[in-house]
Amino acid sequence: MALQDVVRRELVSNQASLNGDEEEEGSLEVILSVLAQRGQVGLCFYDSKDSTLHYMADTPDDTELTLLERVIQEISPHVIITSAKQEHSMVRFMNRLGSNPDYKPEVVTYPYVDFGVVYVDRDTYSVLQIFKSELHPSVYKLQSGQKEGLSLYGILNRCKCKFGSRLLRRWFLRPTRDMAVLHRRQEAIRFFASPRNSDTAGTLQSLLRNIRSIPVDFDSSSTDSRFTIKSNVDPAIDEKKRTMMGLSDFLTDVARKELEHLDNCFPSCCVIYIPLIGFLLSVPRLPSMVKKEDFEIVGLDFMMYVVVTFLSDMETAVMIQLQTAILEKSSSLYKVLELSAELDCLMAMSSASQEYGYTSPKLAAHNRILLTQARHPLLELCSPVFVANSFQSSESQGRVKVITGPNSSGKSIYLKQVEEIHSKLTISDLVGLAVFMALIGSDVPAKEAEIGLVDGIFTRMQSRESVSVGLSTFMIDLNQTLETAVDEDELVFLYQLKEGICQSSYAANIAMLAGLPTSVVQRGVEVSELYRTGKTIKRIDRPSLDEQTNRCNWLVEKFLSVDLNNKDVNLQNFLKEELLPSAGDLL
């Protein structure tokens, strides 16, 4: 956020210079934002020369910050932005930098909370299905883009205006560790979730629907290649437009009246209007009209009345008045629009919290995550039967989870790990979504929740979609979770996590559910038992030597029994129907 403020200031300065004199070479700047913490350095810098923004992800560095020193030597920043709260290594580095008489960059410090952005990579957004873009189902909108599918953003985005939706997306892209911001959002959500404030929330949401763009008729503006105002904005302009719409019938009446005053030699006439020129009386050319003076008609005067130009001037005047009024109140309007968008986001999350039964989490600075009867916010919308699970992890307990279970019981989906960068907590996608929701200020799907502020969420696994089964990645994962039980010979998935070690893989049960032949499954169980007890495993897919010898003898005797001298014997039929099938069985 700190770098964004300075870059915004720089862009405004550059734009001003473009509107006036050309920018001088000496005014070009490189602005560096850097944070060193726990043996790692993260930085980004903005170069005003080509208006580009470069960044470097968190990278290990030594106590002397040698990597940072090399970066500064390479780019020579004019402004260095850093946190007011720094470790000793960074303090020593800045002191050394300040003692250099040949290089004196401007150092700007911002509060530590401005650097407290939670890092979430692109894979995490995809795997946890925080965003999910799909092609629009309407054939008329296939070219216009995509729509939001089943995703966390999709179920929380109940904003009534586009400005609110855009701000909510920014919140999703920039989860924060700023406790003050999160507490303020939680308080607002609790306020609108209270039944006593439901009428107020309904009134505000109906008003937010009216926040729209300026009423410019973009279709007409594109067709006419000029600025056009919608109806019911200016009564005088609407009256002129109505006059223009009735111009054709009006000109027809004028032509009839003009024909009455013309010489009888003119059998017809018409009145036409040419934009930007005026009205013209058109008569057919008579045979007598040869010379220039023959075209002069007594009693007719040339007149011009440019309606379109006058109408365009009126619309332009309205546009200028609107621009002037907006510019005079621009700061106030921007503030109102910003607050309206934030209000829209908070009421949207409050509405979702009420409908789905979410809970306001307790936020803490320590590395502790405690969820009681937590639910997957997307799974519970897809599955007719949902089983909640609890989770607990802290600095001293549960930092690493080892998951055991039978085949296809859901280990993969639970091991879609999410780990906090410094405390190294490994948690499932269910917990990852709950933590993410808490870091945008939302309520979470759990009976109770205590969530420590993490500074990064990462994923380690992905499932692959299958066209053959017709299921998305998300649905494939959902069909493969958690605890199991055996009812007689049938394996039942209970979708419940429990402590302890799984005593069986239930491979035979899974194989039967997958549709494998019973004989194959039984042989598999037999081989598994022989291997477990250390006994010899004998092949059963080939006959023994004695069996092969007996079948060969039978085949030879069968062939020798044929009387080859008998003309009635059909040797070809014998070979095809008796001898060759037997030989095939033998092979």
Side-chain angles (χ1 to χ4, degrees), residues 226-227 229 237 276 306-321:
R226 62 183 180 85
F227 176 77
I229 297 177
I237 294 178
L276 303 180
V306 187
V307 177
V308 172
T309 302
F310 181 68
L311 180 61
S312 178
D313 292 341
M314 294 180 65
E315 290 184 320
T316 303
V318 172
M319 178 183 66
I320 294 175
Q321 292 175 4

Side-chain angles (χ1 to χ4, degrees), residues 156-160 163-169 171 189 208 339-351:
L156 293 185
N157 182 19
R158 303 184 174 200
C159 297
K160 303 303 180 182
F163 303 100
S165 298
R166 293 170 186 169
L167 178 61
L168 184 61
R169 179 173 285 272
W171 286 3
I189 292 174
L208 287 171
L339 293 175
S340 299
E342 184 176 1
L343 180 64
D344 199 9
C345 294
L346 294 172
M347 286 193 294
M349 292 194 293
S350 176
S351 175

